[in-house]
């Protein structure tokens, strides 16, 4: 039984991996600028083997500087939000949380808003957003500390407090911002889009996200122990407070980095782990890799829709909510006995 | 009793009118022979009754806020639009705007109590704000048409003429219309030798991403046509939908579409052109290769809005940037000085005219601070 279960998980993982690769290839070849597949291959060939470019420079720009960073960012953000969602659902023993529960998104949003208000530099916006994202979770954590421990309930309540505070501060920033220029920019930024990703964003934030994801990935079997409760985990030799701390740090880094890259994208951290559970069950050893693959493919595919469906960009946060909410509703109906 | 009060008030009304505008008229007799009211027809055909003399107005809408100053009737405007009030040049052209209450911030945001406090006889507004006022107050609304960013040059003339009628300053409105017609003719003459296939293509890229643009169905297409230019995204419609966080008429398009349209010139409103020159995403576009990325000038109001100022100056500035060889004997600064003097009766300094073109004319962001209580 155990053997067949793990075999089944393996084949599911393989299929999902193939889907991810296919969605990446598809994303590389669709867009408003139509590039024939042959030319895409020529661009990649010249890039990989260092041979001279046989196509126009503009086509190379589209493929290498516009689509490729977008696809990589889509994968990182989708996979990152899904993996942190899965980890949070395990440590909070609550299927309804995502990594935004501790206020990271509101904090990062406020950081971005204040930077847009005070400067015009996109780099500064990202730094400020990252910093405030981390700050808000730090505040939540400190607020919830009771006798060197951070009980789950206190964490959630503190998260609500900090998150509301930062949302209010964001609204305040919008209120005092220049209504012609800055205020619309803040609103638009908060909506989320992968349209602004540049290669250099990925050089900095990519490694951070990958490292945090790898850490959660390595710890995935310990996360299983956490779901059984602190007492049991301790009896198995896992220092649950420390483990919880590490996971919160990793998930926060991922979420703050993803808000930096593309604004606030909802629903992925909530829906994807549930989809994963439907496929491989609640065991985090399988669930975490599945979340990575499904989350990554999901965001890449949704982003393809966002940039090709209409002549203007559809904000991706809107699309993930439109697709995510009904999906979650279906999952809820199917799983209602287990919940 | 009621009747007596009414009669008393009726008697007071002309008195108040006379003393209210005491500086303009010599108060001889309260029993004036002219009728005490006049009727104004708004752009939707509604009839609004206003006092014949000394009516007060609230003007809602950024681009139209400059028209009272142009017509020399700012004194009768008692409530203004925050966005216009914050513009540095607007404050220089019409210093009185600084201390006026600004109940309208952005489209759809009207502070009704502040409006009631200002107590104008009527509000001049496009539909969104106008309906708010109409539903929540008894102040009559003079509705404007064409707030959807798709206006043509002729409709701009009509808008100013309409204000001329409302404010009873039709000659001043004609001064503007003539200046505009003269300008369009001047551009036509200078650009007459330009073959259609040599026309340059321009991309308006606003916002921090430089990707929020005005499509083929917006006013900019007409402005560009007057300047002998083409909108690089002529085939994209941007007034049909509305993206949250962007001004109506603007939509954010994808980077790929900009590369596909390959514009000769790019106009941005945020950041610096070097950002674009150095970004790998923008490489391969003609405007970047030829270093033709410019910041949008900002004058009395933002030039990427359909205003009386932008319909005259923006096409000229663009034409000079695009075809310098056809304007070798032309001074943009002198042209601007002539425009502001003739149309706004305001003498702009050389330095400030330069600052408008260089996009250095500022906005006063925390305008509430220096508002007197």
């Amino acid at each position: 039984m155990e053997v067949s279960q793990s075999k089944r998980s393996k084949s599911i993982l393989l299929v999902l991996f193939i889907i991810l690769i296919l969605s990446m290839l598809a994303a590389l070849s669709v867009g408003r600028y139509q590039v024939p597949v042959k030319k895409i291959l020529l661009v990649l060939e010249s890039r990989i083997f260092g041979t001279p470019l046989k196509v126009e420079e503009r086509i190379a720009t589209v493929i290498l500087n516009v689509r490729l960073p977008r696809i990589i960012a889509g994968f990182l953000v989708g996979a990152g939000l899904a993996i942190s969602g899965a980890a949070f659902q395990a440590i909070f023993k609550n299927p309804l949380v995502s990594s935004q529960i501790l206020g990271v998104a509101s904090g990062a949003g406020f950081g971005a808003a204040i930077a847009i208000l005070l400067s015009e530099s996109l780099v500064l916006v990202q730094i400020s957003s990252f910093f405030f994202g981390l700050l808000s979770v730090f505040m939540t954590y400190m607020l919830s500390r009771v006798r060197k421990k951070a009980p789950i309930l206190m964490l959630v309540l503190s998260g609500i407090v900090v998150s509301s505070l930062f949302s209010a501060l964001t609204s305040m920033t919008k209120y005092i911002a220049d209504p012609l220029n800055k205020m619309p920019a803040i609103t638009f930024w908060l909506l989320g889009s992968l349209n602004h990703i540049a290669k250099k964003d990925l050089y900095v934030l990519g490694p951070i996200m990958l490292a945090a994801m790898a850490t959660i990935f390595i710890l995935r079997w310990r996360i299983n122990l956490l779901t059984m409760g602190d007492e049991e985990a301790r009896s198995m030799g896992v220092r649950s407070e420390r483990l919880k701390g590490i996971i919160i740090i990793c998930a926060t880094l991922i979420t703050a980095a993803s808000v930096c890259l593309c604004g606030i994208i909802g629903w992925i951290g909530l829906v994807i782990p549930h989809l994963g559970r439907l496929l491989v069950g609640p065991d985090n050893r399988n669930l975490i890799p599945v979340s990575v693959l499904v989350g990554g493919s999901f965001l890449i595919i949704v982003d393809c829709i966002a940039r090709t469906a209409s002549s203007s960009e559809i904000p991706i946060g809107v699309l993930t909510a439109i697709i995510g909410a009904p999906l979650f509703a279906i999952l809820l109906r199917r799983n209602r006995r287990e919940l | 009793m009621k009747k007596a009060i009414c009669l008393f008030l009726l008697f007071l009304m002309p008195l108040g009118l006379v003393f209210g505008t005491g500086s303009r008229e010599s108060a001889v007799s309260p029993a004036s022979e002219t009728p005490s009211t006049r009727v104004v027809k708004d752009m939707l055909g509604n009839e609004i009754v206003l006092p014949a003399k000394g009516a007060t107005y609230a003007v809602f809408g950024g681009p139209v806020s400059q028209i009272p100053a142009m017509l020399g009737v700012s004194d009768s405007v008692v409530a203004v639009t925050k966005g216009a009030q914050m513009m540095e040049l607007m404050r220089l052209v019409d210093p009185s705007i600084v201390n006026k209450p600004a109940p309208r911030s952005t489209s759809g945001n009207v502070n009704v109590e502040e409006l009631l406090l200002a107590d104008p006889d009527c509000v001049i507004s496009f539909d969104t704000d106008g309906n708010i006022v109409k539903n929540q107050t008894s102040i009559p609304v003079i509705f404007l048409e064409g707030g959807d960013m798709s206006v043509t040059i002729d409709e701009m003339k009509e808008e100013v003429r309409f204000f001329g009628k409302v404010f009873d300053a039709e000659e001043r409105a004609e001064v503007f219309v003539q200046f505009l017609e003269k300008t369009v003719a001047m551009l036509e003459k200078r650009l007459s030798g330009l073959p259609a296939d040599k026309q340059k293509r321009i991309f308006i890229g606003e916002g921090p991403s430089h990707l929020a643009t005005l499509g083929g169905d917006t006013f900019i297409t007409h402005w560009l046509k007057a300047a002998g230019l083409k909108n690089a995204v002529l085939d994209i419609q941007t007034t049909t939908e509305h993206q949250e966080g962007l001004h109506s008429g603007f939509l954010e398009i994808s980077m790929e579409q900009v590369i596909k349209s390959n514009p000769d010139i790019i106009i941005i409103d945020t950041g610096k052109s070097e950002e674009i020159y150095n970004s790998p995403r923008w490489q391969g576009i003609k405007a970047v290769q030829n270093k033709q990325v410019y910041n949008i000038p900002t004058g009395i109001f933002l030039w990427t809005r359909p205003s009386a100022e932008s319909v005259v100056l923006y096409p000229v500035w663009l034409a000079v940037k695009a075809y310098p060889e056809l304007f070798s004997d032309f001074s943009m600064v002198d042209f601007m000085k002539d425009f502001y003097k003739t149309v706004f009766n305001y003498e702009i300094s050389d330095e400030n005219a330069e600052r408008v073109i260089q996009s250095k004319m500022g906005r006063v962001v925390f305008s509430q601070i220096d508002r007197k209580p």
Side-chain angles (χ1 to χ4, degrees):
Chain A
M1 183 64 198
E2 182 66 24
V3 175
S4 76
Q5 179 67 31
S6 105
K7 228 181 196 170
R8 183 167 169 265
S9 306
K10 272 203 182 113
S11 51
I12 285 176
L13 278 175
L14 187 70
V15 170
L16 290 175
F17 185 72
I18 294 169
I19 291 176
L20 175 69
I21 298 296
L22 287 179
S23 63
M24 281 178 163
L25 290 176
L28 205 55
S29 51
V30 298
R32 304 296 293 191
Y33 193 123
Q34 275 156 13
V35 185
V37 178
K38 199 181 142 206
K39 286 194 173 170
I40 296 176
L41 293 176
L42 281 174
V43 170
L44 292 179
E45 183 204 334
S46 90
R47 184 73 195 180
I48 294 167
F49 301 107
T51 51
L53 200 60
K54 292 184 199 101
V55 294
E56 297 156 63
E57 195 196 341
R58 283 201 294 152
I59 291 181
T61 305
V62 167
I63 301 298
L64 298 174
N65 294 329
V66 177
R67 281 187 200 165
L68 207 54
R70 221 176 151 147
I71 292 166
I72 294 171
F75 170 74
L76 284 175
V77 172
L81 291 176
I83 197 175
S84 22
F88 264 36
Q89 288 172 9
I91 63 172
F92 285 92
K93 300 181 206 75
N94 183 338
L96 290 172
V97 304
S98 72
S99 59
Q100 295 171 359
I101 191 119
L102 299 183
V104 57
S106 327
F110 170 69
I114 197 96
I116 292 173
L117 180 70
L118 300 175
S119 89
E120 295 203 328
S121 148
L122 269 183
V123 180
L124 214 63
V125 171
Q126 290 182 338
I127 294 172
S128 163
S129 136
F130 194 64
F131 171 76
F132 276 96
L134 301 188
L135 179 74
S136 64
V137 174
F138 180 72
M139 281 167 65
T140 303
Y141 193 74
M142 292 319 283
L143 193 63
S144 64
R145 292 268 287 183
V146 186
R147 275 177 261 116
K148 289 192 173 175
K149 275 187 171 180
I152 299 295
L153 184 64
M154 276 300 281
L155 265 176
V156 173
L157 290 176
S158 312
I160 292 171
V161 171
V162 171
S163 192
S164 327
L165 176 70
F166 277 111
S167 319
L169 286 174
T170 306
S171 306
M172 193 66 207
T173 315
K174 278 196 205 165
Y175 176 74
I176 59 174
D178 170 1
L180 296 174
N181 194 301
K182 301 278 188 186
M183 194 199 63
I186 294 171
T187 314
F188 196 69
W189 198 90
L190 292 177
L191 272 180
S193 169
L194 289 166
N195 200 11
H196 313 147
I197 306 281
K199 259 198 298 193
K200 63 174 195 311
D201 303 334
L202 293 176
Y203 292 150
V204 185
L205 294 169
I208 296 178
M209 294 179 83
L210 279 178
M213 278 160 69
T215 311
I216 297 183
F217 192 83
I218 292 165
L219 293 173
R220 65 190 190 282
W221 68 271
R222 286 174 198 248
I223 296 173
N224 266 350
L225 301 180
L226 273 185
T227 55
M228 298 189 295
D230 290 359
E231 299 293 322
E232 284 79 357
R234 204 169 306 125
S235 71
M236 307 278 283
V238 173
R239 287 159 72 182
S240 60
E241 268 312 300
R242 206 179 64 165
L243 181 58
K244 221 156 70 183
I246 293 173
I247 289 166
I248 288 175
I249 290 172
C250 289
T252 302
L253 284 172
I254 293 170
T255 314
S258 71
V259 178
C260 277
L261 278 175
C262 54
I264 296 170
I265 296 182
W267 286 96
I268 289 187
L270 190 59
V271 176
I272 301 298
H274 284 282
L275 206 61
R277 263 177 224 119
L278 208 63
L279 290 170
V280 294
D283 186 343
N284 282 295
R285 283 174 300 178
N286 296 323
L287 178 61
I288 295 241
V290 164
S291 297
V292 169
L293 296 174
V294 177
S297 329
F298 179 74
L299 198 59
I300 290 172
I301 293 167
V302 173
D303 184 49
C304 281
I305 301 171
R307 62 192 165 95
T308 52
S310 104
S311 63
S312 60
E313 282 271 331
I314 304 171
I316 194 158
V318 175
L319 272 186
T320 54
I322 289 175
I323 299 172
L327 199 65
F328 195 60
I330 294 166
L331 292 178
L332 273 179
R333 297 301 297 175
R334 290 191 60 160
N335 276 10
R336 61 187 182 276
R337 261 166 263 120
E338 290 156 49
L339 271 174
Chain B
M1 186 61 200
K2 245 185 185 171
K3 235 179 190 173
I5 293 176
C6 281
L7 276 172
F8 182 60
L9 284 178
L10 264 175
F11 177 69
L12 272 186
M13 238 170 62
L15 259 182
L17 280 173
V18 168
F19 288 118
T21 57
S23 57
R24 283 196 209 155
E25 287 174 71
S26 53
V28 186
S29 150
S32 164
E33 302 233 330
T34 48
S36 61
T37 60
R38 67 190 175 106
V39 174
V40 171
K41 210 174 207 183
D42 74 4
M43 284 188 169
L44 302 181
N46 307 317
E47 293 193 335
I48 292 103
V49 181
L50 292 175
K53 284 240 155 55
T56 54
Y57 306 85
V59 179
F60 288 174
V64 295
S65 292
Q66 55 187 258
I67 302 179
M70 170 201 285
L71 303 177
V73 295
S74 315
D75 289 352
S76 59
V77 176
V78 294
V80 297
T81 299
K82 192 176 164 198
Q85 191 185 43
M86 278 158 51
M87 310 300 292
E88 189 183 345
L89 188 57
M90 181 78 234
R91 290 169 165 226
L92 291 172
V93 170
D94 174 17
S96 73
I97 199 169
V98 180
N99 295 320
K100 284 177 185 166
R104 189 265 196 189
S105 53
T106 50
S107 183
N109 287 311
V110 178
N111 186 333
V112 174
E113 292 196 17
E114 179 126 358
L115 174 67
L116 290 171
L117 199 64
D119 196 25
D121 290 323
C122 68
V123 173
I124 305 176
S125 169
F126 292 101
D127 53 356
T128 311
D129 304 317
N131 283 325
I132 294 174
V133 174
K134 199 175 152 192
N135 293 336
Q136 298 188 23
T137 73
S138 56
I139 302 173
V141 180
I142 299 180
F143 279 96
L144 301 169
E145 244 185 339
D148 61 353
M149 301 284 276
S150 68
V151 295
T152 63
I153 292 180
D154 281 337
E155 283 165 351
M156 278 311 298
K157 290 182 201 165
E158 287 320 306
E159 189 179 283
V160 173
R161 280 186 173 133
F162 174 75
F163 270 81
K165 264 192 209 126
V166 171
F167 283 98
D168 200 13
E170 288 172 75
E171 309 85 61
R172 292 294 305 159
E174 274 324 298
V175 171
F176 163 78
V177 171
Q178 274 163 27
F179 199 102
L180 174 57
E181 282 170 354
K182 202 179 77 186
T183 306
V184 171
M186 182 272 285
L187 285 174
E188 212 167 279
K189 196 171 151 224
R190 281 189 185 255
L191 298 164
S192 57
L194 189 77
D197 59 326
K198 284 266 158 52
Q199 283 197 341
K200 293 198 174 167
R201 294 162 62 258
I202 239 172
F203 175 71
I204 310 287
E206 294 215 343
S209 61
H210 315 301
L211 292 172
T213 198
L214 290 163
D217 54 344
T218 60
F219 71 95
I220 202 75
T221 301
H222 309 294
W223 273 220
L224 292 173
K225 200 174 154 214
L229 291 156
K230 268 193 204 132
N231 191 343
V233 288
L234 202 60
D235 50 335
I236 296 177
Q237 313 261 307
T238 60
T239 62
T240 44
E241 36 187 319
H242 182 247
Q243 225 159 308
E244 197 182 336
L246 289 183
H247 192 280
S248 63
F250 282 92
L251 285 182
E252 180 163 292
I253 63 169
S254 67
M255 191 67 232
E256 289 186 24
Q257 280 173 303
V258 183
I259 298 175
K260 184 175 158 196
S261 70
N262 201 13
D264 299 289
I265 298 173
I266 296 174
I267 308 289
I268 59 171
D269 76 329
T270 311
K272 298 203 167 60
S273 42
E274 280 73 29
E275 253 174 56
I276 287 191
Y277 296 147
N278 297 331
S279 162
R281 278 153 53 91
W282 293 80
Q283 300 310 311
I285 296 175
K286 271 193 244 162
V288 175
Q289 286 164 347
N290 303 333
K291 300 257 185 267
Q292 288 217 291
V293 178
Y294 302 109
N295 275 88
I296 173 86
T298 301
I300 297 178
F301 200 67
L302 308 177
W303 280 16
T304 34
R305 299 287 186 277
S307 75
E309 178 195 30
S310 95
V311 72
V312 174
L313 295 181
Y314 200 8
V316 176
W317 178 79
L318 284 168
V320 173
K321 284 283 177 205
Y323 312 111
E325 65 283 358
L326 299 178
F327 290 85
S328 51
D329 60 333
F330 180 88
S331 158
M332 186 66 203
V333 169
D334 288 346
F335 180 77
M336 287 166 72
K337 286 169 84 171
D338 184 22
F339 170 74
Y340 288 118
K341 178 71 196 140
T342 315
V343 175
F344 283 91
N345 194 24
Y346 169 71
E347 305 233 13
I348 192 169
S349 66
D350 283 34
E351 191 207 341
N352 277 342
E354 262 320 318
R355 286 179 62 218
V356 169
I357 306 176
Q358 312 262 319
S359 193
K360 289 189 179 134
M361 200 42 99
R363 285 201 280 278
V364 185
V365 176
F366 298 99
S367 67
Q368 297 99 323
I369 290 168
D370 58 11
R371 263 244 320 270
K372 282 174 197 146

